[in-house]
Amino acid sequence: LDVDGVGSLINLNEIYIAFNHVSDLSPFSMLQYVEVIDLEGNEVDDFMQVEFLALIPTLVSLNLSGNAVCLSPHVGYNEAEHGLYDYRSRVRDVLKSLQILDDYSIEMQSSEIDGTSTILYEDSQLITDGIKELLDSSTLAIPIDIRPGSAAIHKRPPTASRQTRSSWTRPVTSNSGYWSR
């Protein structure tokens, strides 16, 4: 989903666009009055996108659960090479006005939360990958002999009978105002 035009909605207070394939958060940075942004289950996969939200001084609630950024700061991140990634801590450091992150108090540590965000992301990835695999496979091809016939091949039932033109005439546009029958 392309959200480029959202910046023109200057008086917007809340944004709910969960599960819409949003990956670019930069247009939200122009909204000065937004307090709530729900981006659950989208495609935010780079922490730099979250940093754009630091430009919103009124943001108090953000939901990014189910996005790749909850698990890794960017695509290709190597935890063994760069160390443990603490998503909640990074968001807390960047978004100073935030009070609620992923439906939990921003003060709660990652270890205090049951991992719902991780599970949601992994489940959504499984579903997305399964759909892509199914669409890419040739097993969806429907054999020609079982496809429904077109309307041109099958005769349609006749429409209801109408009165013939001889039983009525159009009104006369004269001063008399009478209809002739």
Side-chain angles (χ1 to χ4, degrees):
L1 179 65
D2 184 7
V3 293
D4 283 339
V6 76
S8 64
L9 304 171
I10 57 173
N11 292 321
L12 203 58
N13 294 96
E14 298 182 1
I15 301 172
Y16 297 92
I17 49 175
F19 305 100
N20 276 290
H21 306 286
V22 175
S23 59
D24 180 14
L25 304 185
S26 61
F28 297 113
S29 65
M30 300 184 331
L31 300 171
Q32 297 300 306
Y33 303 108
V34 170
E35 297 175 0
V36 177
I37 300 178
D38 185 346
L39 292 161
E40 178 181 357
N42 278 286
E43 296 175 0
V44 181
D45 61 2
D46 193 324
F47 196 81
M48 285 180 33
Q49 295 299 318
V50 177
E51 291 173 351
F52 283 115
L53 303 179
L55 298 171
I56 306 172
T58 55
L59 186 62
V60 294
S61 178
L62 174 65
N63 190 347
L64 288 172
S65 61
N67 284 275
V69 75
C70 298
L71 305 175
S72 168
H74 55 81
V75 176
Y77 179 78
N78 184 342
E79 200 170 273
E81 186 178 319
H82 299 290
L84 186 64
Y85 171 64
D86 186 353
Y87 156 72
R88 293 187 66 80
S89 176
R90 292 264 316 257
V91 172
R92 187 174 33 248
D93 291 344
V94 172
L95 303 178
K96 303 295 184 187
S97 63
L98 203 64
Q99 296 173 12
I100 298 171
L101 176 61
D102 301 337
D103 297 326
Y104 295 97
S105 168
I106 190 69
E107 299 305 320
M108 291 183 75
Q109 302 299 318
S110 298
S111 60
E112 299 176 84
I113 300 172
D114 63 2
T116 304
S117 181
T118 302
I119 293 167
L120 178 61
Y121 175 73
E122 291 169 351
D123 287 352
S124 69
Q125 280 304 110
L126 281 172
I127 293 168
T128 301
D129 292 346
I131 291 171
K132 284 180 185 175
E133 184 178 313
L134 187 62
L135 292 175
D136 290 342
S137 74
S138 61
T139 58
L140 286 181
I142 300 172
I144 293 174
D145 58 335
I146 65 166
R147 290 184 181 170
S150 75
I153 296 171
H154 302 289
K155 188 171 182 148
R156 293 184 179 197
T159 59
S161 62
R162 297 183 186 175
Q163 292 181 344
T164 61
R165 184 141 180 97
S166 62
S167 64
W168 64 275
T169 58
R170 291 185 179 206
V172 179
T173 55
S174 66
N175 291 339
S176 66
Y178 294 121
W179 294 46
S180 60
R181 289 192 178 207

